[in-house]
C-alpha cells in the first residue's frame, strides 16, 4: 500500500486507482463491512478518505444536515484541517468547474467551522502557515472566484507573499472577470499596488460604482485619482463611447448611466463621502454651477421673482472667470430675454466683450452711451404686496452683545414673538447653509440678530436664544420651524440640540396645511405663478402676498441693503398679524375647533412632532408607497393645492401627477438632492424621492413631508399610491389643468382660423404626403400631449381660459407670445386643421406646447378612474372668438 508522506494516509494516486476498480469489483469484493469502513473513513486522518466518506451524504439532499454534522466532526478529527483541505483540493479537480462540488462545499464549511473555534495562539497560527499559504496561492490561481473569499479567510492570504496574489488578480482581470478581481483585491488589500483607473473603469462602464467606492475606501490617494478620472468624463463634449471601445471585454455596458449629469451626481456623492476638496473636480463643479445658473435665470426672467441686483450678485459668484460658464450664461440670457436685457446683464456682470454675440455687443455699445437702464417696472409695485406696519426706526439691527443687552428685556418678555431665519442660498453648490440672520418680531418692534458676528464671538448670545426658545411663556410663531431650527443648530454648535429644547411654539405651516382643504384662490402677481408658502398664507389671511424678491439675495453681505432689512423684518412680523386674524375667526378659514384651540397662546407644539408612529415609520427603512391600507386620518387636500418636488429619477411620476392637476417641480438631472429640501422648506412642498437620498432629505423637513417612492412600480401606479397616501382629491376638472411638460397652469384657447394663420406665418405648409384625414388622425394618436375631446361619461376638455388674440402675439416674431414663449407649431400635423369636428386648439403660455382634441382624456380618465371623484362635468358650449 502506498502512503502519502505528508499525511501518513493513503496517497491520492492509490485512491484514484481504488475508485476506478471498485465499480467492477464492488465493495463486497474487498470483504469489508461498508458501515465500518464509512465510520472509519469519516474519522480517518486521511483527508481524501474523509472526503470520499462524505460523498454519499452529499448526493442525497435530505441528508444535508447530517452532512454538516459529520463534516464538522471530521474537521475536529484531522490533525491539521488546513493542510487536509489542500490535500483534498490538490487530489481532486471536480471543484474547478462551474457546477456545485463537494470540495467547494467542504471549503466553505471549513471556513465556518474555523470561525466557530477559539482563536489559537500566535505561535500556533504561524506554525507552518507560510508553507500552507504558498500552496493555497497555487490552488487559488486555479479556483473559481466563488472560492477566493473562503481561501483568503482560511489561510489569511492578506498576510501572504503579495507577488503571486497580484498575479492572480491580474489574471482574473485579463480574463474579463472584473468584478471578481476588484472584490478579491479588496479582500487582500492589494489596491495600492494596482492601477485604480485600470481596475475601476470596467466597473464604472457597468454602473457598479458601489464596488469601486468600496475598492478605494481607506485609500485617500486612490480616492483622489478615481474622482479625477470620473471628473474627466464630465467635461463638455466628452464621448464615453470612446472609453467603451477601449474595453471590448466589458459586457453589459450601461452608458446611459454615464451622462455628465448622472456622473456629476455620483462624483458629488463621493466627494462628500470621502471629505475631499471639490476643486479636484472642476468639470463637475462647472456642471453644478450651470444648473444653478439655469435656476437663477428662471427665477429672474420667467418667475420675475428676483431683482437685477440680487441676480447679478449670485451669478457673478457662480461664473467668475470661467470662460465656459460665461459662454453658457450668454446662451441662457439670449434664450430667456431680448438683446437689450442680455446686454444690460453683460454690462452688470462685466462679461468679456470679445465673447459676446455681435448683436449683444452692439446693444452693449449703445447702452454705454446712455444712462444705466432702470429696474423693470415691477420692482416698484409695492402696493401689490403686504407692507410692514412698523416704523423703520423700530427695526433694530443687533450686531454685538451690547446691542442685545439693551433689548434683552423686550426679547424675553412673555407673549407672542415671530421667529424667522435667513441665509445665503447655496443653489446646491455647497453643504448645509450657514444662517446669517435671525429675526425676532414682537408687538411694534422687529429685532434682526446678526448671526455672522454674534454666533462666533458671544457665548451669551446662544444662552439668550436658548432662553427665548425654551420659555413656555413666550409663544414662538414660525413657518417651517423644524427646518429653520436645524439650520440654526448647524450654524451655531451651542444650539445644536435646540429643536429638542423648544417649548411654547406654533408652526403656522401646519395650520396652513389645514386651510388648503378649501382650495382658496391664489391669484398671481405680475403675471407670474401664484405665491407659495408663507407668502400664500399671508395673501389668504391678510389679502396681499409677501414680496419675496429679496429671499434669494446675498444675506452674508454687510451692510445689508435697505430692501433686505425691510424684507427680513416683514417676514417675521407678518406671523403676528396672521396669528391674530386666525384666532379671531378660525371658522372663516375652515379650521376645525380642535385646531382653533391649539392656536391659543401657551400651547407647546414642537415643530415636526409626530403622533404615534406607524409600523413603517418605526423601522429604519424608508417609508414607501403604496402604504398599508387602513383608516385614513390625513386631511383631504385638493389636487391643485397639492404641491410636490420630485427628484430626477421620478420624471414619469411627475408627468402623471401634473396630468391630474398637481403642482410638481422636478430636480434637474445631476442637481444635488439637498436642493429638494431647500425648495420644500421655502415653498411648502412635499418631497417625493427614490432610493438613498430619502434618509438625508427626511431629516431636513418636517415629519410626513418626505416620501420614498417605490421605483419598481410604473408611473401610473406610483401616482395613485401618492394620491391615496396624502388623501388628495382629484376631480374630472383637474385633468390636464396643468401642462405635463413645464407645469404651467395658464392656457390660451386658439381658434382654428388663428392656428391656420400662425402655421402659415411660421412656414409650416402642407405637403403632398400629409393631406388626408387618416394621416392626421394617425399623427394625433402619436401625439403624447393631445388633449382629448370626450371621455367616458360624456365629459369634455374645456379648461377655463380666454381666447388668443392678435394682441397677445409679438408682431416682429411669428408664432411668439408677448411673454417671449414660442408656440411649438412644428408638432401640429397640418392635416389636423381639416378635421371636421375640431373646434379649437389650446396652447401653454409657459412652454408653447400646442394641444388639440383627441383621445388622450378618455385614456387618462380610464387609467385613473379609481382616484377620480364625482361625475364628469357636462360639456359647455364654447363660444367662438370675435
Amino acid at each position: 500500500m502506498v502512503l502519502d508522506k505528508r499525511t501518513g494516509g493513503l496517497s491520492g494516486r492509490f485512491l484514484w486507482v481504488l475508485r476506478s476498480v471498485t465499480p467492477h469489483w464492488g465493495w463486497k469484493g474487498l470483504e469489508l463491512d461498508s458501515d465500518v469502513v464509512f465510520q472509519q473513513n469519516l474519522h480517518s486522518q486521511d483527508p481524501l478518505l474523509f472526503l470520499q466518506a462524505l460523498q454519499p451524504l452529499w448526493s442525497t439532499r435530505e441528508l444535508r444536515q447530517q452532512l454538516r454534522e459529520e463534516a464538522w466532526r471530521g474537521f475536529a478529527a484531522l490533525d491539521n484541517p488546513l493542510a487536509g483541505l489542500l490535500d483534498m483540493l490538490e487530489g481532486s479537480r471536480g471543484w474547478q468547474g462551474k457546477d456545485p462540488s463537494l470540495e467547494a462545499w467542504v471549503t466553505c464549511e471549513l471556513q465556518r467551522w474555523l470561525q466557530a473555534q477559539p482563536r489559537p495562539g500566535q505561535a500556533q497560527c504561524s506554525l507552518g502557515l507560510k508553507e500552507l499559504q504558498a500552496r493555497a496561492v497555487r490552488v487559488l490561481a486555479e479556483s473559481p472566484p466563488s472560492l477566493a473569499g473562503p481561501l483568503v479567510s482560511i489561510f489569511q492570504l492578506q498576510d501572504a507573499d503579495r507577488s503571486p496574489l497580484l498575479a492572480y488578480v491580474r489574471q482574473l482581470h485579463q480574463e474579463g472577470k472584473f468584478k471578481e478581481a476588484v472584490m478579491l483585491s479588496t479582500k487582500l488589500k492589494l489596491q495600492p499596488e494596482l492601477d485604480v483607473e485600470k481596475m475601476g473603469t470596467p466597473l464604472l462602464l457597468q454602473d457598479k460604482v458601489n464596488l469601486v467606492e468600496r475598492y478605494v475606501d481607506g485609500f485617500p490617494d486612490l480616492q483622489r485619482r478615481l474622482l479625477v478620472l470620473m471628473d474627466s468624463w464630465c467635461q463638455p463634449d466628452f464621448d464615453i463611447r470612446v472609453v467603451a471601445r477601449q474595453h471590448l471585454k466589458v459586457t453589459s455596458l450601461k452608458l446611459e448611466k454615464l451622462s455628465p449629469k448622472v456622473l456629476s451626481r455620483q462624483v458629488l456623492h463621493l466627494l462628500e463621502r470621502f471629505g475631499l476638496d471639490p476643486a479636484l473636480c472642476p468639470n463637475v463643479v462647472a456642471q453644478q454651477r450651470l444648473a444653478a445658473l439655469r435656476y437663477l435665470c428662471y427665477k429672474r426672467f420667467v418667475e420675475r421673482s428676483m431683482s437685477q441686483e440680487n441676480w447679478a450678485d449670485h451669478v457673478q459668484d457662480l461664473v467668475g472667470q470661467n470662460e465656459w460658464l460665461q459662454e453658457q450664461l450668454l446662451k441662457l440670457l439670449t434664450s430667456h430675454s431680448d438683446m437689450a436685457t442680455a446686454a444690460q446683464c453683460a454690462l452688470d456682470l462685466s462679461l468679456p466683450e470679445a465673447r459676446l454675440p455681435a448683436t449683444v455687443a452692439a446693444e452693449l455699445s449703445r447702452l454705454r452711451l446712455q444712462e444705466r437702464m432702470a429696474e423693470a417696472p415691477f420692482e416698484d409695485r409695492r402696493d401689490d404686496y403686504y407692507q410692514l406696519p412698523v416704523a423703520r426706526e423700530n427695526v433694530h439691527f443687533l450686531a454685538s452683545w451690547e446691542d442685545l443687552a439693551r433689548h434683552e428685556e423686550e426679547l424675553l418678555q412673555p407673549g407672542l414673538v415671530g421667529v424667522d431665519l435667513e441665509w445665503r442660498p447655496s443653489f446646491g453648490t455647497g453643504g448645509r447653509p450657514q444662517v446669517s440672520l435671525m429675526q425676532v418680531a414682537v408687538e411694534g418692534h422687529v429685532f434682526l440678530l446678526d448671526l455672522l458676528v454674534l454666533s462666533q464671538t458671544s457665548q451669551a448670545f446662544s444662552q439668550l436664544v436658548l432662553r427665548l426658545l425654551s420659555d413656555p411663556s413666550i409663544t414662538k410663531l414660525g413657518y417651517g420651524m423644524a427646518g429653520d431650527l436645524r439650520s440654526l443648530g448647524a450654524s451655531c454648535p451651542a444650539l445644536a440640540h435646540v429643536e429638542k429644547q423648544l417649548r411654547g411654539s406654533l408652526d403656522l405651516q401646519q395650520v396652513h396645511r389645514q386651510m388648503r382643504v378649501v382650495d382658496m384662490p391664489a391669484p398671481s402677481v405680475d403675471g407670474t405663478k401664484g405665491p407659495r408658502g408663507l407668502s400664500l398664507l399671508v395673501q389668504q389671511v391678510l389679502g396681499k402676498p409677501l414680496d419675496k424678491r429679496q429671499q434669494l439675495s446675498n444675506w452674508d453681505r454687510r451692510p445689508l441693503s435697505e430692501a433686505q432689512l425691510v424684507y427680513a423684518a416683514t417676514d417675521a412680523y407678518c406671523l403676528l398679524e396672521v396669528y391674530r386674524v386666525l384666532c379671531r375667526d378660525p371658522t372663516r378659514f375652515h379650521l376645525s375647533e380642535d385646531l382653533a384651540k391649539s392656536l391659543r397662546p401657551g400651547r407647546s407644539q414642537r415643530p415636526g412632532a409626530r403622533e404615534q408612529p406607524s409600523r413603517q415609520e418605526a423601522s429604519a427603512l424608508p417609508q414607501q408607497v403604496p402604504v398599508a391600507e387602513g383608516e385614513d386620518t390625513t386631511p383631504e387636500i385638493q389636487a391643485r393645492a397639492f404641491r410636490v418636488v420630485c427628484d430626477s429619477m421620478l420624471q414619469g411620476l411627475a408627468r402623471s401627477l401634473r396630468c391630474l392637476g398637481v403642482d410638481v417641480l422636478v430636480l434637474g438631472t445631476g442637481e444635488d438632492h439637498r436642493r429638494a429640501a431647500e425648495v420644500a422648506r421655502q415653498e411648502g412642498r412635499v418631497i417625493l424621492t427614490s432610493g438613498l437620498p430619502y434618509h438625508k432629505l427626511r431629516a431636513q423637513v418636517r415629519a410626513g413631508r418626505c416620501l420614498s417612492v417605490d421605483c419598481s412600480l410604473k408611473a401610473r401606479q406610483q401616482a395613485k399610491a401618492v394620491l391615496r397616501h396624502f388623501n388628495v382629491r382629484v376631480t374630472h376638472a383637474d385633468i390636464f389643468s396643468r401642462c405635463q411638460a413645464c407645469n404651467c397652469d395658464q392656457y390660451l384657447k386658439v381658434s382654428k382660423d388663428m392656428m391656420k394663420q400662425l402655421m402659415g406665418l411660421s412656414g409650416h405648409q402642407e405637403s403632398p404626403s400629409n393631406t388626408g384625414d387618416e394621416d392626421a388622425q394617425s399623427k394625433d394618436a402619436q401625439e403624447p400631449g393631445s388633449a382629448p375631446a370626450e371621455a367616458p361619461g360624456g365629459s369634455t376638455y374645456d379648461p377655463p381660459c380666454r381666447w388668443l388674440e392678435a394682441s397677445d402675439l409679438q408682431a416682429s416674431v411669428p408664432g411668439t407670445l408677448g411673454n417671449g414663449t414660442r408656440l411649438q407649431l412644428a408638432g401640429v400635423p397640418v392635416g389636423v386643421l381639416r378635421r371636421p369636428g375640431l373646434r379649437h386648439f389650446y396652447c401653454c403660455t409657459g412652454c408653447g406646447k400646442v394641444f388639440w382634441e383627441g383621445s388622450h382624456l378618455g385614456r387618462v380618465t380610464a387609467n385613473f378612474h379609481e382616484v377620480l371623484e364625482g361625475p364628469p362635468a357636462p360639456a359647455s358650449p364654447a363660444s367662438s372668438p370675435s
Side-chain angles (χ1 to χ4, degrees), residues 140-162:
L140 181 65
E142 301 177 0
S143 68
S146 59
L147 279 184
L151 290 174
V152 168
S153 173
I154 292 171
F155 296 98
Q156 304 174 39
L157 294 182
Q158 64 272 16
D159 302 323
D161 182 11
R162 304 176 78 81

Side-chain angles (χ1 to χ4, degrees), residues 794-796 871-876:
S795 67
T796 61
S876 58

Side-chain angles (χ1 to χ4, degrees), residues 511 514-515 518 520 541 578-600:
V511 180
Q514 300 294 323
M515 293 170 51
V518 189
M520 292 183 177
V541 177
V578 167
Y579 173 84
R580 294 191 185 98
V581 174
L582 293 178
C583 283
R584 282 199 302 267
D585 191 6
T587 57
R588 171 189 163 197
F589 301 97
H590 300 266
L591 298 176
S592 67
E593 291 185 4
D594 290 341
L595 186 57
K597 291 178 183 178
S598 74
L599 292 174
R600 295 174 184 169

Side-chain angles (χ1 to χ4, degrees), residues 813-829:
V813 185
T816 303
L817 300 178
N819 63 0
T821 300
R822 192 176 186 86
L823 299 182
Q824 299 181 29
L825 301 174
V828 183

Side-chain angles (χ1 to χ4, degrees), residues 465-478:
V465 172
L466 189 58
R467 288 169 58 193
L468 169 68
L469 297 177
S470 62
D471 188 344
S473 69
I474 305 175
T475 300
K476 277 73 65 176
L477 304 174

Side-chain angles (χ1 to χ4, degrees), residues 104-165:
W105 181 87
V106 168
T107 303
C108 297
E109 207 58 38
L110 178 60
Q111 180 190 12
R112 297 188 186 96
W113 181 79
L114 290 172
Q115 292 171 346
Q117 306 307 309
R119 291 183 176 273
Q122 184 68 28
Q124 185 180 354
C125 280
S126 59
L127 184 63
L129 181 59
K130 289 188 177 181
E131 292 79 0
L132 292 176
Q133 286 176 337
R135 292 174 59 193
V137 169
R138 290 193 293 271
V139 170
L140 181 65
E142 301 177 0
S143 68
S146 59
L147 279 184
L151 290 174
V152 168
S153 173
I154 292 171
F155 296 98
Q156 304 174 39
L157 294 182
Q158 64 272 16
D159 302 323
D161 182 11
R162 304 176 78 81
S163 298
L165 296 175

